[in-house]
């Protein structure tokens, strides 16, 4: 049974990490009758094991339910829960396109953080109605008057609309559901126009194939309709439509303004591209919906199976993950040191960590990640332009005319006492300060332009260390800027090891080369012969260490006697070592490759 669109409310919950989005979603679903004492569990919309263990949301999720307000009117609410981590901002922007309003959650003890602002701007860009909610009022450190002041001064929202709640205890949560009905507008759209439905997410089901999550903007979609995708013109027959209320619930049709799922026997999630518009084959729409910017990978790393025989398993595993995560890109790569693997593009370091953990868990693989790099743009002297995300493909410096590297615009919020430490850290990371704003709650907002390669290399850990955990970070890609970059090769026994090569700024080359050589000296076991370890920039060696040889005591069997016999044995040993050094190969343990990711500074 379809409902009049004026009684539909589509809304999303947005907030900084750990401000209580998923717990608030649990309470709202409990009040909406989606879960009860038997089916309810904490963070019910976080369906992946890894989300529940880490206590973070990675994939957005949705749920539809009916709610009767105090005046007796029944509304249909479509709730979309979103991630808070900066790596998954694209998931947030996608969910906002399916909504008319948002609940912006602010932690009563921590106040406004970097991503509270970032998500607020996303909602404002999408022209959505914003309801501020102050959560965690049950905490001893909660300060509601301060939060109301921040909502007015820093966020520029109406503090009289703010609702103070405790998602943990359920205190005052029904007031949010009443506010949604009053303040968030119903969806616009023409029921009689040709169908236009926006795909805001898709996932792969082994029984049904690709399942699309859609928001119907115009028209209606029924079981048995023939649909067409406006980007690639392929047609499919709809076998099932319905709504999601934790589980999928089939319906006869999805009408204008509704959010639900569509199954039509599509084999690959590649065909159900997020942001595409679905229309009817026999009555197509003229113009597609605006869609989304494609999620562009920012960090690249090689992914290699420790056991070479697992390469086909890794290939299948990546293809299966790509079915559920359209932002994942990969291509085959081979390394002399690590064998065959894939060069994988990620949205950030957390995304990289999660993909690797899912591959190891769900597909039982043992993997090595090479050092993460970013995508550099190079113009050669013959005016050819290259994009390089792999040090192995770095061209001869003589052929390079200009080099640029990606920069990000970083927003850091910090209490005033840590500003000195953070300014020093940002300067060390080649950051350029653009602005410094004193906010209403006494916090300071720092705006920096910073190379992405510096940001991915331990910046977040150091920021948390130098601010005792109080500073928060948000960043977005900005543009490419000229840079003086060099490739640093690591040579073991005179042989370059491709997996350890890295691209760094010239000012960092000596420091990073020295660091790595020192680390490798600890990690590579001693051999029967001396092993030189070198870091080189082209033909220039910038750091060197020797791993001294293991000396076998060949004169132990000589009890006294002629000294010339001992000398003869030692000379023989010396010759053997010389020959061994010429033909001996050095086995580098896996820790040496992993040392790149966690350098001890």
């Amino acid at each position: 049974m379809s409902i009049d669109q004026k009684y539909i409310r589509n809304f999303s919950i947005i907030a900084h990490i750990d401000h209580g989005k998923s717990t608030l979603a649990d309470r709202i679903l409990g009040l909406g009758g989606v879960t009860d004492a038997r089916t309810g569990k904490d963070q019910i919309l976080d369906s992946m094991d890894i989300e529940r263990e880490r206590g973070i949301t990675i994939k957005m999720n949705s749920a539809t339910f009916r709610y009767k307000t105090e005046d007796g009117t029944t509304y249909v609410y479509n709730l979309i829960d979103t991630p808070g981590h900066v790596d998954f901002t694209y998931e947030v922007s996608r969910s906002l396109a399916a909504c008319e309003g948002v609940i912006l959650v602010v932690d009563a003890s921590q106040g406004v953080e970097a991503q509270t602002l970032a998500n607020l701007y996303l909602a404002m860009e999408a022209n959505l109605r914003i309801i501020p909610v102050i959560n965690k009022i049950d905490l001893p450190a909660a300060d509601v008057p301060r939060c109301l002041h921040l909502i007015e001064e820093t966020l520029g929202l109406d503090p009289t609309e703010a609702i103070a709640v405790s998602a943990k205890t359920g205190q005052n949560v029904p007031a949010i559901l009443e506010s949604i009905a009053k303040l968030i507008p119903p969806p616009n759209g023409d029921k009689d126009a040709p169908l236009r439905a926006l795909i805001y997410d898709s996932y792969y089901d082994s029984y049904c194939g690709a399942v699309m999550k859609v928001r119907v903007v115009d028209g209606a979609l029924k079981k048995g309709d023939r649909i067409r995708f406006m980007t690639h013109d392929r047609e499919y027959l709809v076998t099932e439509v319905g709504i999601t209320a934790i589980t999928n619930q089939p319906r006869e049709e999805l009408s204008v303004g509704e959010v639900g799922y569509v199954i039509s026997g599509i084999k690959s999630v590649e065909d159900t591209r997020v942001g595409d518009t679905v229309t009817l084959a026999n009555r197509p729409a003229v113009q597609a919906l605006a869609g989304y910017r494609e999620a562009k990978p920012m960090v690249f790393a090689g992914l290699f199976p420790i056991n070479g025989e697992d390469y086909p398993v890794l290939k299948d595993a990546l293809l299966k993950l790509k079915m559920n995560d359209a932002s994942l890109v990969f291509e085959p790569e081979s390394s002399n040191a690590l064998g065959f693997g894939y060069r994988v593009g990620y949205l950030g370091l957390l995304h990289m960590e999660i993909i690797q953990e899912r591959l190891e868990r769900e597909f039982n693989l043992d993997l090595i990640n090479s050092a993460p790099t970013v995508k550099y743009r190079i113009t050669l002297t013959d005016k050819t332009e290259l994009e390089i995300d792999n040090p192995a493909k770095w061209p001869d410096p003589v052929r390079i005319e200009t080099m640029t590297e990606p920069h990000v615009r970083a927003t850091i919020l910090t209490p005033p006492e840590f500003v000195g430490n953070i300014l020093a850290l940002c300067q060390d990371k080649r950051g350029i300060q653009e602005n410094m704003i004193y906010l209403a709650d006494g916090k300071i907002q720092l705006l920096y332009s910073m190379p992405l390669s510096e940001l991915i290399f331990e910046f977040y850990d150091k920021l948390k260390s130098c601010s005792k955990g109080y500073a928060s970070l948000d960043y977005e890609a900005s543009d490419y800027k000229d840079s003086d970059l060099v490739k640093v090769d690591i040579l073991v026994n005179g042989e370059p090891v491709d997996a350890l090569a890295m691209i760094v700024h010239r000012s960092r080359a000596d420091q990073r080369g020295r660091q790595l050589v020192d680390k490798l000296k600890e990690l590579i076991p001693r051999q029967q012969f001396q092993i030189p370890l070198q870091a080189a920039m082209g033909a220039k060696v910038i750091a060197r260490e020797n791993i001294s040889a293991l000396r076998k005591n060949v004169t132990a069997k000589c009890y006294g006697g002629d000294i010339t016999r001992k000398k003869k044995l030692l000379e023989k040993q010396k010759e053997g070592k010389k020959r061994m050094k010429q033909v001996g190969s050095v086995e580098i343990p896996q820790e040496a490759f992993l040392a790149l990711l966690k350098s001890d500074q």
Side-chain angles (χ1 to χ4, degrees):
M1 176 186 98
S2 67
I3 189 162
D4 190 326
Q5 73 192 70
K6 71 179 179 187
Y7 298 118
I8 296 173
R9 296 291 182 271
N10 298 319
F11 67 97
S12 202
I13 303 178
I14 56 174
H16 187 77
I17 312 158
D18 279 345
H19 279 199
K21 290 182 299 300
S22 297
T23 311
L24 183 59
D26 292 347
R27 288 293 156 271
I28 287 174
L29 294 179
L31 288 168
V34 177
T35 57
D36 54 29
R38 184 177 60 82
T39 57
K41 57 181 179 180
D42 289 346
Q43 283 87 44
I44 192 156
L45 290 178
D46 292 347
S47 50
M48 294 184 333
D49 289 345
I50 194 166
E51 289 181 307
R52 306 181 70 75
E53 280 168 30
R54 286 174 176 246
I56 57 173
T57 305
I58 295 163
K59 288 290 286 178
M60 62 183 173
N61 216 330
S62 59
T64 300
F65 60 93
R66 287 174 181 258
Y67 182 74
K68 197 175 208 175
T69 54
E70 288 169 353
D71 62 6
T73 315
T74 301
Y75 289 87
V76 169
Y77 284 1
N78 292 309
L79 156 66
I80 300 172
D81 184 27
T82 59
H85 197 279
V86 62
D87 281 12
F88 304 113
T89 304
Y90 88 106
E91 291 265 347
V92 179
S93 63
R94 279 170 26 183
S95 65
L96 295 186
C99 299
E100 276 75 42
V102 293
I103 294 170
L104 179 67
V105 182
V106 177
D107 187 315
S109 58
Q110 293 180 338
V112 171
E113 298 276 2
Q115 275 183 277
T116 317
L117 285 168
N119 286 332
L120 171 77
Y121 297 147
L122 281 174
M124 283 176 160
E125 274 173 39
N127 207 13
L128 302 181
R129 185 70 165 86
I130 299 161
I131 301 175
V133 167
I134 301 166
N135 189 22
K136 305 191 185 181
I137 58 170
D138 56 312
L139 292 181
D143 188 344
V144 176
R146 172 175 159 260
C147 286
L148 288 168
H149 178 62
L150 289 178
I151 283 166
E152 185 171 21
E153 294 294 320
T154 308
L155 302 180
L157 301 174
D158 183 354
T160 59
E161 290 180 357
I163 304 162
V165 305
S166 166
K168 188 177 178 184
T169 63
Q171 181 187 343
N172 214 16
V173 175
I176 298 176
L177 291 166
E178 294 293 328
S179 272
I180 290 167
K182 288 192 192 89
L183 300 177
I184 292 178
N188 294 322
D190 184 352
K191 192 172 191 327
D192 302 319
L195 170 71
R196 289 198 305 168
L198 176 74
I199 304 175
Y200 70 86
D201 196 12
S202 60
Y203 64 92
Y204 189 77
D205 182 285
S206 46
Y207 297 106
C208 311
V211 180
M212 295 174 278
K213 291 192 174 183
V214 300
R215 153 74 196 271
V216 181
V217 177
D218 289 321
L221 180 59
K222 298 184 189 69
K223 182 179 173 180
D225 282 344
R226 279 199 79 76
I227 54 168
R228 179 188 295 169
F229 294 93
M230 293 191 81
T231 52
H232 53 65
D233 275 348
R234 293 192 192 116
E235 292 185 11
Y236 296 94
L237 182 73
V238 176
T239 53
E240 190 181 313
V241 297
I243 58 163
T244 308
I246 307 304
T247 56
N248 286 346
Q249 297 181 0
R251 289 282 182 82
E252 277 307 306
E253 73 164 11
L254 285 178
S255 184
V256 64
E258 288 193 294
V259 172
Y261 70 91
V262 181
I263 299 172
S264 49
I266 301 168
K267 300 284 188 294
S268 156
V269 172
E270 290 285 288
D271 288 348
T272 60
R273 226 188 67 226
V274 167
D276 198 354
T277 305
V278 177
T279 189
L280 294 177
N282 58 1
R283 191 182 169 215
V286 179
Q287 194 176 5
L289 297 162
Y292 306 104
R293 289 199 306 266
E294 268 189 50
K296 286 195 169 59
M298 296 172 82
V299 176
F300 298 83
L303 200 57
F304 299 90
I306 288 173
N307 178 358
E309 291 166 7
D310 285 342
Y311 177 73
V313 184
L314 175 61
K315 182 182 179 180
D316 285 350
L318 281 169
L319 285 168
K320 282 177 182 163
L321 275 195
K322 183 160 176 67
M323 286 176 170
N324 280 7
D325 187 349
S327 60
L328 191 67
V329 293
F330 55 90
E331 59 181 29
E333 179 187 24
S334 66
S335 153
N336 298 336
L338 298 173
F340 290 104
Y342 282 91
R343 191 95 195 151
V344 187
Y346 307 96
L347 298 168
L349 289 187
L350 178 69
H351 190 216
M352 174 169 120
E353 231 175 89
I354 280 159
I355 292 291
Q356 186 174 357
E357 199 167 322
R358 284 186 69 187
L359 287 168
E360 288 180 345
R361 259 193 211 192
E362 294 170 27
F363 302 95
N364 209 12
L365 288 161
D366 282 331
L367 300 167
I368 283 185
N369 244 330
S370 69
T373 65
V374 298
K375 191 171 267 185
Y376 301 98
R377 287 181 185 163
I378 290 175
T379 308
L380 301 179
T381 46
D382 63 2
K383 299 295 181 257
T384 312
E385 291 190 357
L386 304 175
E387 285 199 337
I388 290 176
D389 56 38
N390 188 345
K393 294 178 181 171
W394 195 254
D396 185 345
V398 181
R399 296 172 54 217
I400 297 174
E401 190 172 285
T402 58
M403 297 173 275
T404 60
E405 64 176 331
H407 275 60
V408 294
R409 196 160 180 271
T411 306
I412 300 164
L413 282 190
T414 173
E417 58 266 34
F418 306 116
V419 166
N421 297 350
I422 292 170
L423 292 178
L425 170 66
C426 292
Q427 194 172 346
D428 181 52
K429 292 285 188 180
R430 298 191 284 128
I432 298 162
Q433 189 177 327
E434 290 183 345
N435 207 345
M436 185 167 170
I437 303 163
Y438 289 82
L439 300 176
D441 62 340
K443 279 189 182 173
I444 292 173
Q445 182 181 359
L446 299 167
L447 295 174
Y448 266 87
S449 172
M450 192 178 293
L452 178 61
S453 56
E454 297 285 353
L455 191 91
I456 64 171
F457 190 72
E458 296 184 336
F459 179 79
Y460 191 71
D461 294 354
K462 288 185 171 180
L463 177 70
K464 286 295 182 191
S465 301
C466 73
S467 67
K468 297 184 180 171
Y470 283 104
S472 60
L473 167 76
D474 180 67
Y475 63 86
E476 59 178 8
S478 59
D479 53 0
Y480 275 74
K481 293 185 181 174
D482 287 346
S483 189
D484 186 8
L485 304 164
V486 291
K487 178 186 176 188
V488 175
D489 281 306
I490 302 296
L491 290 82
V492 177
N493 200 19
E495 290 292 316
V497 181
D498 57 353
L500 296 182
M502 55 190 168
I503 299 165
V504 292
H505 191 263
R506 193 179 294 275
S507 63
R508 288 288 150 93
D510 290 21
Q511 177 199 359
R512 292 285 295 276
R514 160 72 43 213
Q515 237 174 40
L516 203 60
V517 164
D518 288 348
K519 192 82 180 172
L520 283 175
K521 187 182 179 186
E522 296 167 24
L523 292 164
I524 295 179
R526 289 165 71 188
Q527 313 279 328
Q528 292 282 330
F529 53 93
Q530 184 185 10
I531 305 169
L533 299 174
Q534 295 163 306
M537 222 159 62
K540 180 187 172 191
V541 174
I542 53 175
R544 174 177 173 135
E545 286 287 345
N546 288 329
I547 298 175
S548 52
L550 279 170
R551 181 159 182 249
K552 187 178 170 187
N553 191 356
V554 288
T555 59
K557 57 190 175 188
C558 305
Y559 303 106
D562 189 0
I563 187 74
T564 55
R565 186 166 175 227
K566 286 186 180 179
K567 279 188 174 174
K568 195 174 174 183
L569 285 167
L570 288 169
E571 279 299 319
K572 194 175 175 187
Q573 185 185 33
K574 197 172 166 186
E575 281 298 314
K577 281 186 185 294
K578 199 172 173 183
R579 191 166 62 250
M580 202 185 277
K581 188 173 180 179
Q582 284 168 355
V583 298
S585 65
V586 181
E587 188 72 30
I588 304 175
Q590 283 151 26
E591 299 87 77
F593 296 110
L594 300 175
L596 259 178
L597 297 173
K598 291 270 180 274
S599 73
D600 291 353
Q601 293 196 354

